[in-house]
Amino acid sequence: MIFGGVNQRPQVDALQRGIDLLVATPGRLLDLIGQGYVSLSDIRFFVLDEADRMLDMGFIHDIKRILPLLPKERQTLFFSATMPSDIVTLANSMLVTVTPPASVVETISQSVMFAEKAEKKDLLISLLRERSEGSVLVFSRTKHGADRIARILTKAGIEGRAIHGDKSQGARERAMNDFRAGRCRVLIATDIAARGIDISELPLVINYDLPEVAETYVHRIGRTGRAGHDGTAIAFCSEDERP
């Protein structure tokens, strides 16, 4: 696994020992290709995951730089929760067929609870106390909001951690590891920080704030109901979020 924000030396050492499967973020991959540590000439399978997220974060130019470095004879697998026009164009340049856009798996039960902003914190605490789910992912629209929710839960005796772009890579990894191991019941995340969360058995996602964009909602609740498991998604909606 190679990604930016951390020292590249351990990653380079692992590469030089020889690998079968490389999971990489585009920026660090291009860095290591440029330094001569990675060659894509023998790649047989190329997987592009979270393609629409890559577009949102400006990584699509890096992807376009990587594609010509791959062998023409290969299998390409392309995953995207939504299909905006730029992603359709990219998919058409790489693939033969694509599936319908923005589908939510049928194993996720979705519901909405109406609450004003000032009521949301009490609603969240009572919901978490009532429900039996061991691991819960809560989405906040802002970094400040994620930190505030974590403080509110901790004060209420519920173990909660926030992850967002202002946290160091190490702090995010520690929070994720504690969440996976069950040492932390509730993880509060912003959309950017949540893109790397892949936990096969995550029973409950709560949208504390509704996202601005409908596609983001599909991404958020798609963190539950994975690998054949059932999942539950609950959205809190205040009056100003109703539209």
Side-chain angles (χ1 to χ4, degrees), residues 80-83 88 97-104 218:
S80 186
T82 61
M83 294 295 285
V88 172
T97 57
V98 291
T99 51
S103 57
V104 175
V218 175

Side-chain angles (χ1 to χ4, degrees), residues 131-167:
R131 298 187 70 98
S132 59
E133 287 90 354
S135 299
V136 183
L137 177 59
V138 176
F139 278 100
S140 164
R141 192 181 295 141
T142 65
K143 301 170 193 175
H144 171 71
D147 286 333
R148 191 171 55 82
I149 294 164
R151 286 195 301 272
I152 288 165
L153 292 181
T154 302
K155 197 173 173 185
I158 299 166
E159 183 64 34
R161 303 276 179 84
I163 60 168
H164 51 68
D166 285 353
K167 303 266 185 188

Side-chain angles (χ1 to χ4, degrees), residues 89-108:
T89 303
L90 182 66
N92 288 342
S93 72
M94 296 165 58
L95 301 169
V96 181
T97 57
V98 291
T99 51
S103 57
V104 175
V105 293
E106 291 172 4
T107 53
I108 302 175

Side-chain angles (χ1 to χ4, degrees), residues 4 8 17 20 29 32 34 38 40 42 48 52 61 73 84 87 94 105 114 118-119 123 140 169 192 199 204 217:
Q8 74 172 35
R17 286 194 294 272
D20 298 307
L29 178 60
L32 295 184
V38 176
L40 304 182
D42 293 324
L48 183 58
D52 49 354
H61 302 295
E73 290 289 313
I87 294 298
M94 296 165 58
V105 293
F114 294 101
E119 300 168 343
L123 177 60
S140 164
Q169 186 72 39
I192 295 292
I199 299 166
L204 177 60
Y217 175 81

